[in-house]
């Protein structure tokens, strides 16, 4: 099962990625959670202590590792480097085990201009493709809003892309942009998760603006989840109602994928 999570900044992508990862790990599935956000903080959301999380270096910034795998220094454009670097041992070697979830802090492919074609981008792109196409584990990708750098092969093999929205029309606008991008890239299924819901009327306004989408589920606003970020504990264990809502979403994902 390969799940990517996208959406506007701050809507709750990392919170959902962490909670789904933990849910599947607790059900004894093997899970690789991939932090593909430039501002990586999935480790904390999975419950790693702040001091340890702070020290993690994303793969895309590991200069020696990039050189070892591609044969070229990171940031070198136009020079010769391997287009087919070895990536299949990366989850085992560079992943961090947090409470049954293997976390891979990858970082983000640099977009635009010459940044598109440099050793670290090629390596990361290949890693994402390997994770989505070749692996048997459950893969959960915590992304930023843009998915264009993933490439067609990866997108076509993803089971679902979840776009998280919060009460606010701007996050819906982002969802439309992501949806358009997804169809251009061949993503099979795009779903919405509504997060931070405080009232039924709020939810109704959002639903009226989401007619073109399939809504996978909703997550309530939770003071405990908010507090978990402030006090650095995992949001997934903080609030029973929130936890149940995550389970409902996971059940709908399972149903959809199994058909
Ligand atoms: N249901 C919720 N109730 C209350 N607070 C929430 C909820 N979901 C997320 N938050 C809070 O909102 C903030 C943003 O959440 P999160 O980091 O998961 O979003 P994100 O989309 O990954 O952000 P970014 O774009 O910066 O990566 C955090 O402080 C988080 O604790
Ligand atoms: Mg995030």
């Amino acid at each position: 099962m390969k799940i990517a999570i996208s959406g506007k900044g701050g809507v709750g992508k990392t919170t959902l990625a962490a909670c789904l990862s933990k849910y599947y790990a607790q059900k004894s599935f093997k899970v690789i959670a991939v932090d593909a956000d430039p501002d990586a903080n999935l480790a904390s959301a999975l419950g790693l202590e702040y001091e340890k999380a702070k020290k993690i270096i994303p793969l895309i910034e590991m200069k020696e590792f990039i050189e070892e795998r591609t044969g070229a220094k990171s940031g070198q454009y136009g020079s010769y480097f391997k287009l087919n670097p070895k990536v299949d041992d990366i989850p085992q070697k560079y992943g961090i085990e947090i409470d049954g979830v293997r976390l891979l802090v990858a970082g983000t492919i640099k977009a635009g201009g010459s940044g598109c074609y440099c050793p670290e981008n090629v390596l990361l792109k290949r890693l994402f493709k390997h994770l989505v196409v070749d692996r048997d584990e459950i893969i959960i990708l915590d992304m930023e809003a843009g998915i264009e750098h993933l490439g067609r092969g990866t997108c076509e093999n993803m089971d679902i892309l979840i776009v998280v929205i919060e009460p606010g029309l701007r996050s819906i606008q982002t969802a439309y942009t992501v949806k358009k991008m997804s169809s251009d890239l061949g993503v099979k299924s795009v779903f919405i998760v509504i997060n931070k819901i405080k009232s039924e009327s709020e939810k109704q306004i959002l639903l009226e603006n989401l007619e073109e989408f399939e809504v996978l589920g909703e997550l309530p606003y939770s003071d405990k989840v908010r507090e978990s970020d402030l006090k650095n504990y995992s949001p997934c264990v903080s609030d029973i109602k929130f936890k149940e809502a995550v389970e409902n979403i996971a059940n709908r994902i399972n149903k959809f994928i199994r058909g």
Side-chain angles (χ1 to χ4, degrees):
M1 191 187 301
K2 312 293 159 57
I3 303 167
I5 301 179
S6 168
K8 187 179 147 292
V11 288
K13 301 178 289 289
T14 300
T15 303
L16 179 62
C19 294
L20 281 177
S21 300
K22 273 187 180 290
Y23 169 85
Y24 286 116
Q26 274 158 14
K27 297 266 171 207
S28 303
F29 288 100
K30 285 192 172 162
V31 182
I32 303 177
V34 186
D35 197 337
D37 197 305
D39 185 13
N41 49 25
L42 184 54
S44 299
L46 283 167
L48 191 69
E49 299 96 81
Y50 184 65
E51 287 307 313
K52 285 188 185 161
K54 201 161 81 167
K55 288 188 187 137
I56 300 174
I57 302 169
L59 291 173
I60 194 136
E61 286 168 24
M62 293 169 67
K63 293 197 162 59
E64 276 174 28
F65 160 74
I66 290 162
E67 191 172 355
E68 173 218 313
R69 293 302 161 110
T70 63
K73 286 196 165 45
S74 86
Q76 257 183 8
Y77 310 107
S79 64
Y80 169 79
F81 56 86
K82 280 183 206 158
L83 295 175
N84 213 1
K86 181 174 171 62
V87 291
D88 60 352
D89 61 339
I90 291 177
Q92 189 56 36
K93 266 195 173 158
Y94 294 91
I96 307 161
E97 197 75 18
I98 307 171
D99 227 1
V101 175
R102 186 146 279 264
L103 169 71
L104 207 50
V105 181
T108 315
I109 292 169
K110 297 171 198 162
S114 54
C116 289
Y117 203 70
C118 57
E120 59 268 45
N121 272 3
V122 169
L123 181 64
L124 219 57
K125 222 170 165 171
R126 189 161 164 72
L127 172 64
F128 289 150
K129 189 165 183 187
H130 165 70
L131 292 169
V132 170
V133 177
D134 302 328
R135 302 294 291 212
D136 292 330
E137 293 96 333
I138 292 181
I139 306 290
I140 299 184
L141 290 165
D142 178 11
M143 312 274 305
E144 45 183 354
I147 58 158
E148 65 278 15
H149 48 260
L150 278 185
R152 239 194 127 78
T154 307
C155 286
E156 282 170 349
N157 281 283
M158 228 137 55
D159 292 301
I160 58 172
L161 173 73
I162 297 175
V163 188
V164 182
I165 64 158
E166 63 183 0
L169 297 181
R170 282 194 287 271
S171 70
I172 297 185
Q173 271 169 25
T174 306
Y176 276 100
T177 310
V178 174
K179 191 178 161 105
K180 164 82 177 63
M181 214 185 293
S182 308
S183 82
D184 292 347
L185 286 163
V187 177
K188 287 178 286 199
S189 332
V190 180
F191 289 103
I192 293 283
V193 163
I194 307 175
N195 187 23
K196 306 189 192 178
I197 287 290
K198 279 189 173 165
S199 70
E200 199 52 34
S201 62
E202 219 173 56
K203 186 174 131 189
Q204 282 317 315
I205 297 174
L206 294 176
L207 288 177
E208 280 163 21
N209 286 282
L210 285 169
E211 278 165 359
E212 286 179 36
F213 288 93
E214 189 151 350
V215 178
L216 195 62
E218 63 188 73
L219 296 165
Y221 178 86
S222 158
D223 282 329
K224 285 269 182 204
V225 169
R226 196 177 138 88
E227 185 191 81
S228 70
D229 189 5
L230 192 66
K231 300 195 175 162
N232 196 56
Y233 60 90
S234 173
C236 322
V237 292
S238 56
D239 177 330
I240 187 76
K241 271 200 174 147
F242 189 82
K243 202 173 169 200
E244 278 170 13
V246 171
E247 279 172 22
N248 285 338
I249 289 169
N251 287 335
R252 292 219 39 205
I253 294 172
N254 299 343
K255 230 183 195 166
F256 171 76
I257 290 177
R258 294 206 190 105

